[in-house]
Amino acid sequence: MHKTGYQRYQQVILILYCMGLFSILFTACGTTNANVVHMGETNFDQSSITMKKGDSIILVNDNGQIIHTIQNGIWSNGEPRPKLEPGAPSVDLSVTDGTQHLIGPFNTDGTFHLYCTVHPGMNLTVIVK
Ligand SMILES: [Cu+2]
């Protein structure tokens, strides 16, 4: 059957639409290494996060009025204990507003500790597999 010009036009539009859909899907796959951790007023919303080697953490400060200072280390028995663990990215991040901050990438397997030097007990354990 002979196709009219309009049918060809429809075919081209359909092909372009599919290509667009695929590129959106691929983009979505590429961003699955986004590991979001929210911060409340005095703590992380979760105590740990498990992620793949090469991933980074996206830190979100839910209350932009609250200041957090995130570094390598851990609160232990009420005392801040700074420690840069081998294989961990060096972190010294001052969060003074509600914007998002990237921590990482974590390129080594292991268990790492981040803490907020402002808020006693504000610990985040990062498990990289
Ligand atoms: Cu804090």
Side-chain angles (χ1 to χ4, degrees), residues 54-105:
D55 282 5
S56 297
I57 296 171
I58 293 176
L59 262 189
V60 182
N61 192 14
D62 287 341
N63 183 339
Q65 307 293 310
I66 303 289
I67 290 173
H68 300 283
T69 300
I70 310 303
Q71 294 180 357
N72 302 85
I74 188 171
W75 284 97
S76 177
N77 297 322
E79 295 291 326
R81 304 196 191 282
K83 185 181 183 189
L84 178 56
E85 294 150 321
S90 179
V91 178
D92 186 5
L93 179 66
S94 184
V95 180
T96 58
D97 56 23
T99 58
Q100 299 186 352
H101 298 267
L102 204 63
I103 293 181

Side-chain angles (χ1 to χ4, degrees), residues 39-43 66-70 116-119 122:
M39 295 185 292
E41 300 198 350
T42 61
N43 227 326
I66 303 289
I67 290 173
H68 300 283
T69 300
I70 310 303
C116 174
T117 61
V118 179
H119 299 114
M122 184 165 172

